[in-house]
Amino acid sequence: MTEIRYDTILDNNIAINTSGELLDQYRADCEIRGMSPESLRRYISSLKIYNKYLQERNLDLLNVDRNILRNFLEYLRKDRDVSLKTVENYFTSIAGLYEFLEYEGYVDKNPVPSVRKRYIRRYKDNDDGQMRKLISVEEMAKLINSTLDVRDKAIITLLAKTGIRRNELIKLDVDDIDWLNQSIRLKPTPKRTNRTIFFDDEAALIMHRWTRARDTRNEKNSTALFINNLGGRLNRNGVYLAVTKPAERLGLHNPSSERMEDHFSPHCCRHWFTTHLRRAGMSREFIQELRGDVRREAIDIYDHIDKKELRESYLAHIPQLGV
């Protein structure tokens, strides 16, 4: 009679169940830390593919080294044929998971940073032109003026004129807008400090046009500023398409290219906002405040910026597009 090794059975059961349980724990940790639902969805989606890769090769999530990660990187690039940006997103998710596992004492050290530093950054550095796309003021004006749908026109204008992130735009409600002072109060997020942003007369005109059109489309009485064709709140992909489709028609966005400089995404509007304010002569401190960047130095915490002065500086430096 074959002797039953209960310790072996236990080890096998742990190996099968541990990874799923750890992903559930990590999901809960991300929710506690305030990660947005969309970001969490993308993280977990990447991690499930990573975990499936490990399980198919009988590899333990808690015993991963640089060789396994290096092989997974090659699997992504060769077998799945994903772009550099997608590879980066995978390893951002994996790094976050192992940071959590290290914090909780499941692993001694996060194995991801050294692999990212040696391989992923090298891919980026050796790939000519891997810079976020920056368009001119004239090109931005042409992009907005050529966008026929009033909602999409308002989306691009607001992203360019305020520099807000895509997720911040999605969460906007109509009541967040102060039309009198031409300012918007953003929802709180972990990434942002200053929540008050401003817009100019050009943006106000286009946004007024959109809100009038929105009233005729809002059959579900949504509070969201930007709604989809079904009347619900617009999601990340909806914002992405609102920006990239008009940009593609003008030759500003090439979805088939792997080079970052060939893509004009919603985040490029934030890059445009920052760069052209700086070129117009706005102080770095004011740009930092408008962007809502986290203040890193102790002195910054006590450096209170007057809102009236900030608004006046914004209106004096924001590029005019003739829209």
Side-chain angles (χ1 to χ4, degrees):
M1 183 174 180
T2 304
E3 180 183 359
I4 299 176
R5 294 290 304 275
Y6 289 101
D7 56 341
T8 302
I9 294 175
L10 181 61
D11 288 343
N12 288 339
N13 288 335
I14 291 175
I16 293 172
N17 296 326
T18 295
S19 58
E21 293 173 357
L22 292 176
L23 288 182
D24 288 340
Q25 291 181 35
Y26 178 57
R27 181 198 294 271
D29 180 74
C30 290
E31 291 174 345
I32 292 172
R33 291 187 293 113
M35 181 180 289
S36 71
E38 180 60 27
S39 295
L40 180 56
R41 183 193 67 77
R42 289 184 286 113
Y43 269 50
I44 296 300
S45 176
S46 298
L47 290 173
K48 284 182 177 178
I49 293 173
Y50 169 64
N51 190 42
K52 181 180 179 182
Y53 170 88
L54 296 178
Q55 290 180 342
E56 289 176 346
R57 291 156 180 79
N58 295 317
L59 299 172
D60 185 355
L61 181 71
L62 297 179
N63 290 294
V64 167
D65 57 22
R66 64 175 180 268
N67 291 324
I68 294 174
L69 290 172
R70 186 164 48 203
N71 290 337
F72 179 66
L73 187 151
E74 289 303 300
Y75 163 77
L76 290 176
R77 291 178 61 86
K78 294 180 179 179
D79 293 7
R80 295 184 69 91
D81 192 27
V82 302
S83 67
L84 170 64
K85 182 62 177 176
T86 302
V87 170
E88 292 173 341
N89 290 339
Y90 268 99
F91 274 79
T92 297
S93 303
I94 297 169
L97 172 63
Y98 282 106
E99 180 183 354
F100 163 74
L101 295 176
E102 181 181 356
Y103 175 79
E104 293 292 338
Y106 288 109
V107 298
D108 293 331
K109 183 180 179 181
N110 186 343
V112 179
S114 61
V115 176
R116 292 174 74 182
K117 181 178 180 180
R118 183 169 182 82
Y119 294 101
I120 299 178
R121 292 183 183 177
R122 175 165 296 185
Y123 288 145
K124 182 186 293 186
D125 292 342
N126 286 349
D127 206 354
D128 294 338
Q130 285 294 342
M131 299 173 60
R132 196 172 297 281
K133 189 179 187 70
L134 174 67
I135 65 176
S136 67
V137 172
E138 292 75 19
E139 287 172 323
M140 180 62 77
K142 188 176 181 181
L143 175 61
I144 293 173
N145 283 322
S146 67
T147 303
L148 300 179
D149 187 279
V150 64
R151 185 202 66 183
D152 296 352
K153 186 188 294 283
I155 287 173
I156 299 172
T157 302
L158 194 59
L159 288 171
K161 290 284 190 173
T162 65
I164 59 175
R165 299 176 177 90
R166 176 169 32 168
N167 193 48
E168 293 169 338
L169 180 135
I170 290 170
K171 293 181 178 180
L172 286 178
D173 292 323
V174 175
D175 290 344
D176 294 329
I177 304 175
D178 182 342
W179 294 104
L180 181 62
N181 294 308
Q182 293 188 182
S183 65
I184 299 174
R185 184 69 171 169
L186 301 177
K187 301 294 193 300
T189 65
K191 289 186 177 180
R192 175 170 283 272
T193 51
N194 170 46
R195 290 171 53 198
T196 301
I197 59 171
F198 306 102
F199 55 91
D200 63 1
D201 290 341
E202 288 187 329
L205 178 63
I206 294 176
M207 287 170 59
H208 272 301
R209 290 175 182 169
W210 158 240
T211 53
R212 288 195 295 269
R214 174 189 173 279
D215 290 339
T216 66
R217 306 182 190 181
N218 190 20
E219 296 180 358
K220 295 184 178 179
N221 295 319
S222 172
T223 62
L225 176 59
F226 293 107
I227 57 178
N228 57 34
N229 294 333
L230 299 177
R233 187 179 296 272
L234 196 65
N235 60 21
R236 285 178 59 87
N237 189 56
V239 176
Y240 179 81
L241 294 175
V243 174
T244 58
K245 288 301 182 182
E248 185 178 353
R249 286 195 295 268
L250 289 181
L252 300 174
H253 173 70
N254 180 4
S256 62
S257 174
E258 289 194 6
R259 291 167 22 117
M260 187 180 293
E261 66 173 9
D262 292 335
H263 292 255
F264 189 81
S265 66
H267 196 78
C268 290
C269 293
R270 183 169 169 85
H271 182 44
W272 183 92
F273 172 83
T274 304
T275 302
H276 288 293
L277 280 181
R278 186 60 185 157
R279 289 181 179 179
M282 191 181 219
S283 71
R284 291 182 182 274
E285 291 76 17
F286 279 4
I287 295 175
Q288 179 187 33
E289 186 75 4
L290 290 172
R291 283 172 50 91
D293 292 334
V294 176
R295 298 184 176 192
R296 302 185 183 282
E297 299 180 10
I299 191 172
D300 288 339
I301 299 174
Y302 302 98
D303 183 20
H304 299 290
I305 295 177
D306 181 75
K307 295 296 183 185
K308 181 180 179 182
E309 186 180 2
L310 179 64
R311 181 177 183 274
E312 291 174 349
S313 180
Y314 165 81
L315 294 174
H317 292 95
I318 191 68
Q320 296 302 291
L321 302 172
V323 296

